[in-house]
Amino acid sequence: MLDPYLPLVLLFALAGAFALFSVTAAPYVGPRRYNRAKLDSYECGIEPSPQPVVGAGRMPIAYYLTAMLFILFDIEMVFLYPFAVSADLLGLFGLVEIVLFIVVVGFAYIYVWRRGGLDWN
């Protein structure tokens, strides 16, 4: 009765074994060249300021803004995929709904574009 699921269970077991093997073997196989920059907790390319973040200086938010915009427009694709799969079943109602969705997300895209959120300075 559960025979069709055996390849799937074996695939998950193989993936788990590979992940466990990779995590346990990495410290023994990988390079051991540590330096100050590698051990630093902030490796994005911007030097951290010695001033405290609260009240003293401005913290650059370009990375966070880019990540949020990526998530916003990536979620749009997640919502468009089910429509593409069942477009025939939804008919005219589905077409109108997806056009409204694309228009709303398009306005968000134009707003971000006009405000300079997509310019990397």
Side-chain angles (χ1 to χ4, degrees):
M1 181 172 160
L2 296 177
D3 286 340
Y5 295 108
L6 183 63
L8 188 63
V9 171
L10 290 176
L11 183 65
F12 278 119
L14 182 65
F18 178 74
L20 186 63
F21 171 74
S22 297
V23 169
T24 56
Y28 302 111
V29 178
R32 292 183 181 86
R33 287 179 254 128
Y34 297 111
N35 57 19
R36 184 177 182 275
K38 195 69 174 168
L39 295 175
D40 224 6
S41 62
Y42 194 71
E43 288 189 48
C44 72
I46 297 176
E47 291 292 325
S49 65
Q51 301 171 345
V53 176
V54 178
R58 294 187 70 187
M59 184 174 164
I61 61 166
Y63 294 108
Y64 305 112
L65 183 63
T66 304
M68 286 189 292
L69 289 175
F70 173 76
I71 290 171
L72 173 74
F73 294 116
D74 189 46
I75 288 174
E76 175 190 4
M77 291 301 120
V78 169
F79 283 122
L80 285 176
Y81 182 74
F83 170 75
V85 171
S86 62
D88 293 340
L89 299 174
L90 296 174
L92 184 62
F93 174 75
L95 180 65
V96 170
E97 291 297 319
I98 206 64
V99 166
L100 287 175
F101 177 73
I102 290 174
V103 166
V104 169
V105 173
F107 280 134
Y109 177 73
I110 291 169
Y111 175 77
V112 169
W113 185 16
R114 296 285 300 231
R115 296 283 299 198
L118 301 176
D119 295 333
W120 189 260
N121 297 331

